[in-house]
Amino acid sequence: MRDIIIIGSGPAGFTAAIYAARAQLKPLLIASSVEIGGELMNTTEVENYPGFPEGIMGPDLMTAFQQQAERFGTEVVYDDVVELELEGPVKRVKLGNGGVEEARTIIYATGSAYRKLGLPEEDVLSGHGLSWCATCDGFFFRQKTIAVVGGGDSAMEEATFLTRFADKVYVIHRRDSLKASKIMQQRAFDNEKIEFIWNAEVARLLGETAVTGVTLRDTETGAERDLPLDGLFVAIGNDPRTHLVHGKLDLTPEGTVAVAGRSSKTSIEGVFAAGDVIDPHYRQAITAAGSGAAAALDAEHYLASIGNENAAEAVLESEFAVVD
């Protein structure tokens, strides 16, 4: 019987593992067999994560997260969770290899997935002019010509933000009107750097090693034309990875796992959630990491309340620790 099983291998999962391992709780972290490291594995240079003034490659940052977690005793399993039993004092996690792990607490940190365009070039050009995060990558497009795909609030927010860096920002939308709120629409309409391309969809991404443009298809006539670009940002939404907990944990109207207030406590005692799977707004590595730390601390307190000696000692140490 384990004290903590962490499901997810992004910044939230590995930060939770670091905190839990330092508390001598010997966490088991279950990383996907194919997607370990979360969305940062698809990011080239990360310049906004504190502590790296020269920036760091996304995969390198996640490798450092994992090494730090393992240094304190985290056990990492490369497999997929196929089923969860969360009710009762013993939580059971069924793996793809047929094995079953049991624990007193679960930290669910599976993250979210950006919706893709469904084009074959996406995997090759991701991080090479193709991005799903303006906050992460906008700085790299100073004085460039770029485009944003989407028509909702997030697309308008991304386009407006990107005008801080780019000389020209196109907004590509498959209809002739936007889904965004009126205030977000007007903000974009009033920005002289933004130009709207209506009734258009991206049919192809151009460029072999980096984005050089897109082929647009008119959604009414089917006619195609090429649009030269230095970069493309996709803002058509994201989906929290909650498929394992549908019907088991309460979800919010946005589809994320519901937690109590600022805590990581879910609707089932002993089950905690962290990172992008509970966050429909910020979706940054730094906020996910902080959320993972909170989940580990919440789990420690819960374990202490049910009589776990290591967790009780960790809680006392944290409460009486002196901060320099």
Side-chain angles (χ1 to χ4, degrees), residues 6-49:
I6 300 165
I7 302 171
S9 58
F14 275 123
T15 302
I18 291 167
Y19 272 71
R22 290 188 75 251
Q24 304 297 310
L25 297 176
K26 300 179 181 178
L28 171 68
L29 185 145
I30 302 174
S32 167
S33 61
V34 294
E35 294 180 334
I36 185 169
E39 293 298 326
L40 279 180
M41 297 301 288
N42 299 319
T43 303
T44 51
E45 193 166 3
V46 179
E47 291 194 326
N48 58 0
Y49 197 89

Side-chain angles (χ1 to χ4, degrees), residues 105-109 264-266 268-274 295 298-299 302:
T105 62
I106 296 287
I107 295 178
Y108 191 75
S264 64
K265 300 174 184 177
T266 71
I268 294 181
E269 191 174 65
V271 180
F272 306 88
D298 286 343
Y302 171 77

Side-chain angles (χ1 to χ4, degrees), residues 57-180:
M57 300 297 284
D60 292 340
L61 179 59
M62 291 318 305
T63 297
F65 268 75
Q66 181 172 352
Q67 290 173 342
Q68 190 171 359
E70 291 179 328
R71 173 192 168 200
F72 293 113
T74 300
E75 180 184 350
V76 178
V77 170
Y78 301 95
D79 205 341
D80 298 308
V81 176
V82 296
E83 188 177 347
L84 294 173
E85 295 179 17
L86 303 177
E87 295 288 351
V90 178
K91 321 299 180 185
R92 292 180 175 84
V93 180
K94 185 176 180 180
L95 302 178
N97 63 12
V100 177
E101 297 286 348
E102 297 182 340
R104 296 177 179 86
T105 62
I106 296 287
I107 295 178
Y108 191 75
T110 51
S112 64
Y114 292 111
R115 292 176 190 159
K116 294 187 175 183
L117 298 171
L119 302 175
E121 307 89 0
E122 280 181 285
D123 290 339
V124 174
L125 295 176
S126 175
H128 300 280
L130 177 63
S131 175
W132 286 263
C133 180
T135 307
C136 309
D137 299 329
F139 180 81
F140 300 112
F141 294 89
R142 293 173 65 87
Q143 299 179 323
K144 302 291 186 180
T145 297
I146 59 180
V148 175
V149 181
D153 277 355
S154 61
M156 297 308 102
E157 185 175 357
E158 299 253 301
T160 303
F161 176 81
L162 287 166
T163 59
R164 301 182 187 182
F165 310 102
D167 285 343
K168 180 77 173 182
V169 179
Y170 292 101
V171 173
I172 302 167
H173 188 45
R174 58 182 297 111
R175 298 180 179 84
D176 60 1
S177 61
L178 300 171
K179 297 182 294 182

Side-chain angles (χ1 to χ4, degrees), residues 250-271:
D250 289 349
L251 303 180
T252 68
E254 293 92 347
T256 55
V257 175
V259 293
R262 296 183 62 189
S263 79
S264 64
K265 300 174 184 177
T266 71
S267 55
I268 294 181
E269 191 174 65
V271 180

Side-chain angles (χ1 to χ4, degrees), residues 132-296:
W132 286 263
C133 180
T135 307
C136 309
D137 299 329
F139 180 81
F140 300 112
F141 294 89
R142 293 173 65 87
Q143 299 179 323
K144 302 291 186 180
T145 297
I146 59 180
V148 175
V149 181
D153 277 355
S154 61
M156 297 308 102
E157 185 175 357
E158 299 253 301
T160 303
F161 176 81
L162 287 166
T163 59
R164 301 182 187 182
F165 310 102
D167 285 343
K168 180 77 173 182
V169 179
Y170 292 101
V171 173
I172 302 167
H173 188 45
R174 58 182 297 111
R175 298 180 179 84
D176 60 1
S177 61
L178 300 171
K179 297 182 294 182
S181 61
K182 294 298 183 184
I183 187 170
M184 294 301 295
Q185 289 189 41
Q186 197 59 51
R187 207 170 281 171
F189 290 148
D190 291 343
N191 194 309
E192 61 183 14
K193 286 188 176 183
I194 296 176
E195 179 180 335
F196 286 83
I197 301 177
W198 304 105
N199 298 316
E201 61 184 3
V202 177
R204 281 183 297 278
L205 301 176
L206 305 178
E208 294 185 3
T209 59
V211 171
T212 59
V214 296
T215 298
L216 297 178
R217 179 184 297 122
D218 191 297
T219 56
E220 295 184 334
T221 67
E224 294 188 352
R225 66 183 178 94
D226 290 346
L227 176 69
L229 294 171
D230 299 301
L232 181 71
F233 288 78
V234 181
I236 55 176
N238 71 307
D239 298 304
R241 294 188 175 101
T242 57
H243 59 285
L244 290 169
V245 296
H246 284 180
K248 301 177 187 293
L249 297 178
D250 289 349
L251 303 180
T252 68
E254 293 92 347
T256 55
V257 175
V259 293
R262 296 183 62 189
S263 79
S264 64
K265 300 174 184 177
T266 71
S267 55
I268 294 181
E269 191 174 65
V271 180
F272 306 88
D276 286 5
V277 79
I278 69 169
D279 176 13
H281 302 296
Y282 301 108
R283 299 193 300 273
Q284 299 294 305
I286 187 64
T287 54
S291 178

